[in-house]
Amino acid sequence: MGDAFLELAQTEGEGPYGDWLRQQAEGMCLVGIEVDDLAAAVSHLQARGAKVSEPQEGGVPDVRFALVDTASTHGVPIALVQRSK
């Protein structure tokens, strides 16, 4: 599986990321999978029938992401994340 990390987030301050976190229920709100090439990962999943949003800028600088529709993941919220290096 390679390197992995766990990010624990807490709402703090104002802004789109904090606003989104406040709307979520307690517990796990999202599984993020870091990818090297977001466009390729989106195309790969879409070619296999998954519903995936178009890549968009994240609430954090130098981050882009795409959301996989929960209908394609048995209800588990998943985001594909690409960080600028």
Side-chain angles (χ1 to χ4, degrees):
M1 184 166 139
D3 294 336
F5 71 92
L6 176 65
E7 179 180 29
L8 302 175
Q10 174 179 325
T11 56
E12 189 173 292
E14 298 300 318
Y17 188 63
D19 294 345
W20 179 80
L21 278 174
R22 278 187 282 284
Q23 293 173 11
Q24 307 307 308
E26 283 190 12
M28 184 183 74
C29 62
L30 179 77
V31 173
I33 300 171
E34 189 169 0
V35 297
D36 291 327
D37 185 339
L38 183 58
V42 168
S43 294
H44 177 82
L45 290 177
Q46 288 175 337
R48 283 151 184 79
K51 296 178 184 174
V52 185
S53 73
E54 290 300 315
Q56 52 194 298
E57 298 301 315
V60 177
D62 301 322
V63 172
R64 295 179 67 229
F65 70 95
L67 298 173
V68 183
D69 189 303
T70 55
S72 299
T73 64
H74 302 285
V76 177
I78 295 178
L80 304 174
V81 180
Q82 180 179 357
R83 298 175 191 270
S84 297
K85 295 182 181 179

